[in-house]
Amino acid sequence: MLSHRRIAHGGYLSGQQVKLIFGGKPYFDLLVDLIGHARSSIHLQVYSYEADETGQRIADALIAAAKRGVSVYVLVDGYGSQGLPRSFIDRITGNGIHFRIFEPLLKSDRFYFGRRMHQKVMVVDARYAVVTGANIADKYNDLPGQSAWLDFAVLVEGEIATNLCTWCWTTWKNFRRPQRRAHTCKATAPFVDFGYDAVCSVRVRRNDWVRRKYDISRTYKEILRSAKERVVLVSSYFLPGATIRRDIADAVRRGVRVQVMVCNRMDVPFVKDAERYMYDWLLRHKVEIYEYAGNMLHAKLAVCDDGWMTIGSFNVNDLSARVSIELNLDVKCTSFAERVIEQLHTLMERHCVRIHNDDFVAANSLPIRLKRWLAFKILRVIFFLGTCYIKQERPATH
């Protein structure tokens, strides 16, 4: 059981050890290390899992854990992971892994209606947890001749991992609260010191419109409304709704320096056109825009000057705010937030191109503005209809 004396104001749990993890090889090496040390249980829940080199490596580690008696539970989203071949699923279930596909509210053989499970979390032994925006696939990893999509994760050790374990069980059981919490989420003793960055207060934040939870959306509002000096927003699909735009404008009017870090190019160019439609509004409101010039930016976090940040699966757009199941951790700790801001500013200086208003206006011709406006309007409709999609045929097993 959690000690109520450790619950701080606002639902934070104090005394949690935290470490910021860069995506790519460091992230996947951490997953394999945690899985390799697991003693009792592993929960892995991810939006998209691909049966490529990276996916096979994680599967091999999970199978090895299951064979030594660890209870392993893997939950993937039915849309994001629809490409998983049957042979891959049969292999992991045949080796003792409990596997499930998250399904929406209503479905037929061809049609789905509901929401996506977009969260990405792994909990080991109810003692360690990793929350991130990265999926399990080669594009999120550093491989020969290929740099990973830019992403971040936060590793936590402490009682917050027990809370996350309970959340994973609740999601696994289709949001029916586990009846045997003391047994299913009993933390083991620590087994590895990961060289943590700080000891902080941490809370779990969720968005799920079906269950009327909008914790992460409220966190972003709180960050923008409480900031005194600076806010850094990092989002891979940055299309803020009216409320967030209003909070950004109010923060700038108070003298807050608002910096937004987005990607230079996307896997879907149409989405980037829609995002660039927002640049005119952002620049008019004195928001600094930095486009990441490396491989695809996929990170999702925000950090505020008064010592707290949020990180996880939530993008600043209506799809995350109103459609998907999202999971973030809020971390309140001045030294940790300052460390994150320092690393983000290094990325901005070395790997980003700042978008200046004069250059943007000069290049923003009428045909380009029209194309971006159309992309923005169409994407808003897609987000509105984001709970509906046509089920794709699975590829042939191999």
Side-chain angles (χ1 to χ4, degrees):
M1 296 293 290
L2 298 180
S3 170
H4 293 287
R5 291 175 298 178
R6 296 172 66 86
I7 301 294
H9 178 71
Y12 284 92
L13 188 62
S14 63
Q16 309 304 293
Q17 298 190 89
V18 300
K19 183 179 181 66
L20 184 72
I21 307 295
F22 273 87
K25 187 176 185 299
Y27 170 68
F28 289 104
D29 286 350
L30 172 66
L31 293 190
V32 171
D33 193 13
L34 282 166
I35 294 168
H37 284 91
R39 299 170 181 172
S40 62
S41 66
I42 298 170
H43 286 272
L44 175 62
Q45 299 188 355
V46 65
Y47 172 67
S48 177
Y49 196 124
E50 296 184 17
D52 51 20
E53 180 180 339
T54 299
Q56 295 290 353
R57 182 188 179 201
I58 299 302
D60 290 344
L62 292 171
I63 289 170
K67 287 184 175 180
R68 64 175 187 269
V70 177
S71 298
V72 181
Y73 300 85
V74 176
L75 179 67
V76 302
D77 183 71
Y79 181 71
S81 298
Q82 62 184 294
L84 270 180
R86 185 73 247 176
S87 58
F88 178 86
I89 297 172
D90 290 343
R91 175 177 175 249
I92 62 174
T93 56
N95 281 282
I97 293 175
H98 306 277
F99 178 84
R100 183 170 293 174
I101 296 174
F102 181 84
E103 302 286 11
L105 296 177
L106 302 172
K107 65 174 182 174
S108 70
D109 290 340
R110 298 291 300 162
F111 181 76
Y112 280 65
F113 178 82
R115 80 274 207 213
R116 307 180 306 163
M117 187 204 72
H118 195 241
Q119 66 189 27
K120 295 99 173 175
V121 57
M122 188 174 80
V123 183
V124 173
D125 293 348
R127 164 64 61 178
Y128 303 90
V130 184
V131 172
T132 182
N135 293 295
I136 307 295
D138 281 349
K139 55 179 166 276
Y140 302 96
N141 201 358
D142 295 297
L143 298 174
Q146 170 196 294
S147 59
W149 286 11
L150 179 64
D151 220 317
F152 295 96
V154 63
L155 168 66
V156 292
E157 179 192 338
E159 293 163 308
I160 199 73
T162 307
N163 284 359
L164 285 167
C165 176
T166 300
W167 171 244
C168 286
W169 267 117
T170 301
T171 310
W172 174 267
K173 293 177 179 293
N174 198 24
F175 300 97
R176 295 189 300 272
R177 184 173 293 276
Q179 297 179 354
R180 298 173 56 219
R181 172 177 175 174
H183 297 287
T184 58
C185 288
K186 185 176 181 180
T188 64
F191 52 70
V192 177
D193 182 355
F194 288 97
Y196 297 99
D197 296 327
V199 177
C200 305
S201 296
V202 183
R203 66 179 176 182
V204 178
R205 306 295 273 173
R206 305 187 295 267
N207 263 38
D208 182 355
W209 67 272
V210 170
R211 299 178 64 78
R212 298 182 181 180
K213 285 189 173 295
Y214 301 99
D215 299 341
I216 308 172
S217 298
R218 287 197 297 270
T219 285
Y220 273 83
K221 293 176 185 178
E222 291 171 18
I223 284 176
L224 289 163
R225 293 175 183 181
S226 67
K228 298 177 177 62
E229 295 181 6
R230 60 184 172 182
V231 170
V232 182
L233 303 172
V234 183
S235 181
S236 51
Y237 305 96
F238 188 73
L239 290 163
T243 301
I244 293 296
R245 292 200 304 272
R246 182 173 62 248
D247 290 337
I248 289 173
D250 289 344
V252 172
R253 279 193 289 269
R254 296 196 314 269
V256 176
R257 183 185 185 187
V258 179
Q259 298 172 297
V260 175
M261 186 175 169
V262 294
C263 56
N264 176 264
R265 60 184 182 276
M266 288 185 177
D267 48 341
V268 183
F270 170 80
V271 179
K272 189 60 198 179
D273 283 335
E275 188 178 77
R276 285 199 172 112
Y277 173 74
M278 294 294 306
Y279 284 13
D280 181 64
W281 184 93
L282 293 167
L283 291 168
R284 281 191 288 108
H285 287 82
K286 311 301 181 184
V287 175
E288 300 176 23
I289 304 172
Y290 296 84
E291 286 189 348
Y292 178 66
N295 206 348
M296 171 84 176
L297 182 150
H298 194 256
K300 310 131 189 336
L301 64 88
V303 59
C304 182
D305 56 8
D306 63 353
W308 63 304
M309 66 171 292
T310 188
I311 183 171
S313 64
F314 183 89
N315 287 301
V316 183
N317 60 45
D318 284 344
L319 192 62
S320 280
R322 302 177 185 276
V323 176
S324 303
I325 297 173
E326 307 283 3
L327 176 67
N328 271 34
L329 290 183
D330 288 359
V331 182
K332 183 162 285 190
C333 181
T334 299
S335 62
F336 187 71
E338 289 176 347
R339 181 187 181 97
V340 173
I341 287 178
E342 180 181 348
Q343 293 183 350
L344 291 177
H345 282 178
T346 298
L347 281 171
M348 290 176 188
E349 292 172 2
R350 298 180 181 178
H351 302 285
C352 293
V353 175
R354 182 171 175 183
I355 306 301
H356 294 281
N357 186 66
D358 291 346
D359 297 334
F360 179 77
V361 171
N364 198 24
S365 65
L366 180 59
I368 291 175
R369 290 201 304 272
L370 179 60
K371 182 180 72 168
R372 291 172 177 172
W373 177 82
L374 285 172
F376 178 79
K377 293 298 183 181
I378 293 170
L379 196 61
R380 297 280 290 194
V381 173
I382 292 173
F383 282 177
F384 179 75
L385 300 174
T387 56
C388 309
Y389 54 86
I390 302 301
K391 184 178 180 182
Q392 304 295 315
E393 291 291 341
R394 287 190 180 276
T397 59
H398 59 276

